[in-house]
Amino acid sequence: MKKGIKGLIKMVGPLALVTIMSSLLVGCSDSGSSGEGDDKVTEIRVVTANHPWTEAIEKELSAFEKETGIKVKIDSYFEDQLTQKTSVEFASHSDDIDVVMFRPLQDGKMFHKNGYFASLNDYAKKDNFTEDFIPAALGSVKAGDELFGLPLVTETEVLYYRKDLLEKAGLDVPKTLEELEDAAKILHDPENGIAGFVARGKRAAAVTQFSSFLYGFGGDFIENDKSVIATPEAIEAFEYYGNLLKNYGPKGTLNMSWPEAMAVFTQGKAAFYTDASSLFSNATDPSKSQVADKVGFAPFPAGPDGAHPYNVTSWALGIGANSNKKDAAWEFIHWALSKEMVEKLQAEGNPGARISVWNSPEGTAMFPEDLAAAIAANGKADGKPYDRPLVINVGKARDTIGDVIIAAQQGKDVKAAAEKADKAFQELLDKENK
C-alpha cells in the first residue's frame, strides 16, 4: 500500500481524519470477523453509498444469507463521506472492508494506484462472468488487463428531442452530428422562444457531456500519458460544440449545468438536448416536464470519426485488498451482479451493465421504448468507458478543459485556448505521473 496517513491528512483534513480513525477503531473492535482460512465465513462487511441500488439490494439480502449462511453487514455513507471513510480505512491497512461500492471515474484511479483493490481477474474467469457485460462499462473498472471492480450502475449519453417539432418541420431524427447541426439551425426560432439545441455549457460541468462530441470527432483527453486536447480533432470538436450552443442555444448557456439545461428542454424551449440517459425521467414525468408526451430519444449521433458515445460505470463493486474474506466477498458480488438480480433491480430503476438484461422486456419495462433502444445501440457502438479524464485530480482537470468550452461558446480563439489548456493539463499529468 503506497499511500500513507500523511497523504490522507492532506486529502481529508486533520479533524476529519481523527473522527474517521476513531470510528474505524470502534468498527474494528466489534467486527467479529473470521479469516478466510477459518472453516466458515459467517459475516462480510459491505461499504456502500446512500444510493437507490443500496436500498434495493438490502431488501434482497435475506435470500443471499439463507442460501450461503453468510450475513451481510451494510454500512452506507453519503458520496463524499464514502470516499473519505474508505480511503482512511484502506490506507490504515484495515482488513475490515470486504466489498466496497465506489465511483470508478472519480475515485477508481486513485484507489487502484494506491493498491486498495483486490484483483478480480481470477474470480471473473471461473465462469466467464463478465462476457455478458457491456465492454465499455467494463473498461471503467480496468487498469490495463487488470479488473479491479465490476460495473454496478451505468449511464450513456443520448439525444433527447421534440417529436412534435421534428414532425411539423418534416425532419428525420439526426443520426450524425452534421445532421444535428442542420436540424438545430432549421428549428432554432428565438422569436417564438425555441432554441435549436441546449446542453451543458458551464465550465467543469460541460466536460462530461462534451466528451462524446470529442470522441466523435476522433479526439480524446489523454494518449500515452500525454494531453491531446489541442489536436486538430479536439479543436474541431470544441469549435463544433461551442458553435452549436452559441448559434442555436438559449441565452445563458455559460452558466448551465444539467438542471438548468434540462429545465430549458422540459419547459418546451429547445428542440434538441444531449445528456445522460439516467436523467430521462425529468423529461418524461408529467409532474416535471411540460413536454412529457412529446419527448423522443435516439442514440448519440455519429461524428466524422463515427459513433463513440461514452458508456460509463457510475458506480461499481470491488473487493478490499486486505480483506481476509475475499472468496465470500466474491460470492456476494457474483450474486448481486447475477443476471437475475440485475434484471430485478433494473426494473426498479437501477440501470446495470448486462447486455442480456437490456435486450429483455423485463429489463427495459420501466424505460421508454426508444430510450431503451438508444441505450442498447450506444452499448453496441465503439463507445468510451470514461466521460472525463482518468486522472486523480479530476476536478482541476475538468476546470482546465472547461475553459476551452467556455472560449468556444464566447466565440474566442479556440486554438489558442486549447493550447493554453493543453499546457496546464500536461503539467497536471506530469505531476501525477512522477
Side-chain angles (χ1 to χ4, degrees):
M1 193 165 298
K2 300 172 184 176
K3 195 174 185 73
I5 296 298
K6 289 182 178 179
L8 281 167
I9 292 174
K10 184 177 180 181
M11 182 170 66
V12 305
L15 181 59
L17 181 64
V18 169
T19 302
I20 294 169
M21 288 298 291
S22 298
S23 63
L24 170 60
L25 291 172
V26 171
C28 288
S29 67
D30 64 0
S31 65
S33 63
S34 58
E36 200 163 35
D38 294 347
D39 292 336
K40 177 65 178 177
V41 172
T42 58
E43 181 177 294
I44 60 172
R45 179 171 175 245
V46 179
V47 182
T48 70
N50 290 333
H51 187 278
W53 179 86
T54 302
E55 296 173 9
I57 201 69
E58 282 185 307
K59 297 175 184 174
E60 308 294 333
L61 288 179
S62 60
F64 174 80
E65 293 174 346
K66 182 178 180 181
E67 178 182 333
T68 64
I70 300 172
K71 181 176 176 56
V72 179
K73 179 185 177 185
I74 299 274
D75 284 344
S76 297
Y77 302 90
F78 291 110
E79 291 182 9
D80 290 342
Q81 290 177 321
L82 177 67
T83 297
Q84 290 185 347
K85 176 73 174 173
T86 51
S87 295
V88 171
E89 290 202 36
F90 281 136
S92 65
H93 297 227
S94 169
D95 61 2
D96 204 31
I97 296 178
D98 301 307
V99 178
V100 60
M101 182 175 174
F102 67 98
R103 297 174 292 181
L105 301 178
Q106 197 69 27
D107 305 319
K109 184 176 177 66
M110 177 181 70
F111 280 20
H112 176 264
K113 185 176 181 179
N114 292 338
Y116 295 166
F117 296 124
S119 173
L120 302 184
N121 283 21
D122 291 341
Y123 287 118
K125 287 177 182 176
K126 288 180 181 177
D127 55 359
N128 295 321
F129 189 70
T130 59
E131 67 178 4
D132 187 35
F133 283 75
I134 297 171
L138 276 175
S140 301
V141 287
K142 279 184 173 180
D145 293 329
E146 184 181 356
L147 190 66
F148 58 79
L150 279 175
L152 185 66
V153 180
T154 63
E155 62 182 32
T156 185
E157 187 166 7
V158 296
L159 178 67
Y160 295 62
Y161 66 92
R162 284 278 301 279
K163 291 185 290 188
D164 57 322
L165 296 181
L166 267 68
E167 183 178 349
K168 184 178 179 181
L171 295 173
D172 293 328
V173 180
K175 294 181 180 177
T176 67
L177 292 179
E178 184 178 9
E179 292 175 359
L180 174 62
E181 185 171 14
D182 290 343
K185 183 178 181 180
I186 293 171
L187 297 175
H188 187 58
D189 185 7
E191 291 186 359
N192 289 304
I194 300 293
F197 176 80
V198 68
R200 305 184 197 186
K202 191 174 182 178
R203 201 186 184 195
V207 173
T208 54
Q209 306 314 308
F210 165 72
S211 66
S212 293
F213 291 85
L214 176 65
Y215 308 148
F217 274 88
D220 209 329
F221 297 112
I222 305 168
E223 287 181 7
N224 300 318
D225 295 331
K226 298 295 182 184
S227 168
V228 289
I229 62 172
T231 63
E233 294 83 4
I235 291 171
E236 194 174 3
F238 281 122
E239 289 176 336
Y240 174 90
Y241 192 75
N243 285 336
L244 206 55
L245 288 172
K246 177 169 66 72
N247 296 333
Y248 312 120
K251 293 181 179 179
T253 57
L254 292 173
N255 294 313
M256 288 186 182
S257 185
W258 80 262
E260 295 83 11
M262 176 67 84
V264 170
F265 185 73
T266 56
Q267 289 169 12
K269 297 178 180 177
F272 295 105
Y273 171 49
T274 51
D275 214 304
S277 55
S278 57
L279 302 176
F280 80 93
S281 63
N282 293 278
T284 58
D285 184 341
S287 69
K288 301 177 182 177
S289 172
Q290 297 177 26
V291 292
D293 60 340
K294 300 179 176 65
V295 176
F297 300 92
F300 190 82
D305 194 57
H308 306 293
Y310 72 70
N311 277 296
V312 302
T313 299
S314 50
W315 287 98
L317 291 179
I319 295 177
N322 290 325
S323 168
N324 293 315
K325 308 171 187 176
K326 292 186 180 68
D327 288 350
W330 172 253
E331 196 167 0
F332 172 79
I333 290 177
H334 192 279
W335 167 80
L337 294 178
S338 64
K339 179 185 175 182
E340 294 73 22
M341 191 54 62
V342 170
E343 189 171 85
K344 189 169 189 176
L345 269 54
Q346 188 162 304
E348 298 177 18
N350 294 284
R354 281 195 172 271
I355 297 169
S356 60
V357 174
W358 280 111
N359 288 331
S360 71
E362 295 81 5
T364 58
M366 74 158 292
F367 296 86
E369 188 175 345
D370 54 354
L371 175 59
I375 293 171
N378 277 4
K380 294 175 182 175
D382 184 17
K384 296 282 188 180
Y386 49 90
D387 61 2
R388 67 204 75 185
L390 294 176
V391 296
I392 294 173
N393 196 338
V394 178
K396 187 174 183 179
R398 290 177 64 169
D399 283 345
T400 300
I401 296 164
D403 285 340
V404 190
I405 298 174
I406 294 292
Q409 292 176 77
Q410 293 175 325
K412 294 183 177 178
D413 186 337
V414 174
K415 184 172 184 294
E419 289 175 347
K420 180 181 179 181
D422 183 71
K423 182 179 179 182
F425 188 39
Q426 186 60 53
E427 289 175 356
L428 183 151
L429 294 176
D430 291 342
K431 185 177 181 181
E432 291 194 357
N433 291 327
K434 279 184 179 178

